[in-house]
Amino acid sequence: MNMLCKGDRQLAIDFDRDYTIPTCIHCGEPQVVELAEIWSDHSFMISTCCHLLYEELVYEMADPDFRTALLQNLQAAEHLGAERLRRVADQDGQLLLDCELEVAPSPFPG
């Protein structure tokens, strides 16, 4: 850690750290919220920097508007080849991505 000193004081600036990346309020590390996997049944897994942030997101995802906004921000629809995520549906406790897929003729003959 490369800390700045001024006189006999050490200032709380770490020049080796990238301050453009938000810091997690739970673990103090760079905040990570990523879409780790999407399966063919449109279920998904989110990866976070720490378990507490993961638990907070799971709690907040009880709100349909929050979970849809979160997955739109993580570009879930694009990973499925869709243009837009309509919602994140709750199917008996299982959260599933519901995209507005485009219906078009198949480019393959037959």
Side-chain angles (χ1 to χ4, degrees):
M1 194 181 296
N2 184 12
M3 302 295 280
L4 177 66
C5 293
K6 186 172 185 179
D8 59 350
R9 294 184 305 145
Q10 188 174 21
L11 303 178
I13 298 174
D14 180 0
F15 289 101
D16 294 328
R17 183 173 153 221
D18 184 357
Y19 284 96
T20 61
I21 300 172
T23 301
C24 176
I25 61 171
H26 301 293
C27 67
E29 295 296 320
Q31 185 175 1
V32 174
V33 178
E34 299 173 328
L35 192 55
E37 289 191 52
I38 300 176
W39 291 281
S40 59
D41 66 351
H42 291 214
S43 59
F44 59 91
M45 182 170 62
I46 291 177
S47 175
T48 60
C49 54
C50 67
H51 188 68
L52 287 174
L53 180 58
Y54 180 80
E55 296 256 330
E56 182 180 342
L57 288 176
V58 168
Y59 176 80
E60 293 294 338
M61 286 175 64
D63 175 7
D65 292 333
F66 177 86
R67 65 180 177 241
T68 299
L70 174 65
L71 273 296
Q72 284 173 338
N73 191 7
L74 295 176
Q75 300 178 336
E78 288 82 354
H79 290 289
L80 284 171
E83 284 189 31
R84 191 170 93 72
L85 180 69
R86 180 173 29 199
R87 66 187 175 122
V88 180
D90 185 348
Q91 298 293 318
D92 300 320
Q94 175 76 30
L95 298 179
L96 301 173
L97 302 171
D98 180 13
C99 299
E100 290 186 355
L101 299 175
E102 181 181 329
V103 178
S106 171
F108 303 106

